[in-house]
Amino acid sequence: MTGYDNPWGLKVKKELVELWPPLPPDEFEELKKSLAERGLLDPIVVNENNEVIEGHQRLLAWISLGKKEPPAIRRVNTGGDLAKEIALSVEYNARRRHLGKSELAIIVARAFEKVEELTQKKVIPRESVQTSNTETDLTKESLRKVAEKIGISEPTLSKASQIVQK
């Protein structure tokens, strides 16, 4: 990801960048213009390893402007839990991006699929708890809560999951 090369040691995780479509060129140029005029109003969210959770596009715009000073950052402690980072990325980006409900639902469905894929590859450990003889995947439960928080209903999420699987 050479576009994200920076002197501040901020790194990107492919798994998180892939969840979100890049900004269209005109929106990216507007973002750069805004950063040049007003600076970075919302900090880039990073984990304890300086890996970007939210703010990939702002970081890319900041770098492309040739800024020498580091961007404002906000640290969150994820303990290296990639599933938690995926859920945070969805929650934070859903607030920032100007996307419709159907677009957000597709992204949440993609996040579910990414978590499942990484669990199968054993990148994310399968955590489950027994409740009333039902096994509930904790990661998927946290993503469901995020979906609910950003206004994606269960039927909409179900339809989006079917689309993503096709």
Side-chain angles (χ1 to χ4, degrees):
M1 303 226 167
T2 55
Y4 291 98
D5 291 342
N6 65 82
W8 314 294
L10 299 176
K11 300 169 265 197
V12 297
K13 283 188 163 179
K14 188 177 96 162
E15 299 87 356
L16 298 177
V17 173
E18 290 174 344
L19 286 176
W20 298 92
L23 290 176
D26 59 324
E27 287 183 36
F28 188 74
E29 288 305 314
E30 282 295 315
L31 175 60
K32 283 174 51 178
K33 182 180 174 191
S34 172
L35 288 176
E37 290 173 1
R38 299 184 297 179
L40 189 62
L41 301 178
D42 292 310
I44 293 167
V45 180
V46 301
N47 68 12
E48 57 274 17
N49 298 318
N50 278 340
E51 296 168 319
V52 178
I53 304 291
E54 189 264 339
H56 298 93
Q57 294 292 308
R58 283 176 285 138
L59 176 60
L60 194 56
W62 190 263
I63 292 166
S64 72
L65 287 170
K67 296 283 192 177
K68 300 297 181 221
E69 69 276 7
I73 62 169
R74 185 177 74 142
R75 291 194 193 286
V76 295
N77 185 1
T78 65
D81 182 341
L82 185 54
K84 183 177 184 178
E85 292 170 357
I86 288 171
L88 284 172
S89 178
V90 169
E91 183 176 349
Y92 291 151
N93 275 293
R95 291 185 205 145
R96 299 191 51 74
R97 296 268 181 125
H98 304 289
L99 302 172
K101 291 287 182 204
S102 59
E103 292 168 302
L104 282 174
I106 293 289
I107 288 166
V108 173
R110 272 212 224 106
F112 272 101
E113 200 158 273
K114 178 64 74 180
V115 166
E116 188 57 39
E117 172 193 323
L118 294 171
T119 302
Q120 296 294 325
K121 291 180 179 176
K122 301 198 185 322
V123 174
I124 295 176
R126 184 171 298 278
E127 297 180 55
S128 56
V129 291
Q130 291 286 346
T131 51
S132 311
N133 295 329
T134 323
E135 208 169 74
T136 305
D137 187 340
L138 296 176
T139 300
K140 288 183 179 178
E141 191 57 36
S142 67
L143 277 172
R144 279 194 197 337
K145 286 179 184 169
V146 167
E148 186 179 307
K149 193 183 284 188
I150 61 175
I152 307 298
S153 68
E154 195 65 43
T156 301
L157 184 56
S158 179
K159 288 175 191 168
S161 293
Q162 291 170 2
I163 292 168
V164 167
Q165 289 172 3
K166 290 178 183 176

